[in-house]
Amino acid sequence: MYIKEFSQKTGLSIDTLRFYEQEALLFPKRNANNYRIYTEEDFCWVQLLLKMKQTGMTIENIKKFAELQVQGVDSLPERIVALENHIEKLHEQQNNLTQTIAFVNQKISGYRKKITTAEIE
């Protein structure tokens, strides 16, 4: 598919897709007329790239991962390690978020008790 259709499918602007290509994060093929041609594999890659970005992976690490992606199956062990490292950080974030939610719930409960106590008096 061409860039316009790929932009619609991914929800990313054409400028963003071009930027990702300039930053060596996306590697579309080119046809005889030098138009970018995107594949389902490119779509899957963009979905992963967006999830990595959304979950706080640094651009530097995403670029390293993109370089490994281009290398093909030989880089699978290194990609697995990179994703395992990232998921470890996600679990830490999840634990922090769980603790924060518990803390905020305690605050809400405490405030509700104060309201109830004030209404009784």
Side-chain angles (χ1 to χ4, degrees), residues 51-58 61 85-102:
K51 288 295 179 190
M52 288 189 272
K53 184 178 170 193
Q54 180 184 42
T55 58
M57 184 180 275
T58 65
N61 285 341
N85 290 339
H86 185 60
I87 204 157
E88 187 176 313
K89 290 177 183 171
L90 291 176
H91 285 300
E92 289 173 14
Q93 290 175 5
Q94 184 179 35
N95 289 336
N96 288 338
L97 188 55
T98 299
Q99 291 172 6
T100 301
I101 289 169

Side-chain angles (χ1 to χ4, degrees), residues 10-25:
T10 61
L12 298 173
S13 71
I14 290 173
D15 288 339
T16 298
L17 293 171
R18 288 181 178 144
F19 173 76
Y20 283 173
E21 186 178 354
Q22 288 172 349
E23 292 296 311
L25 294 171

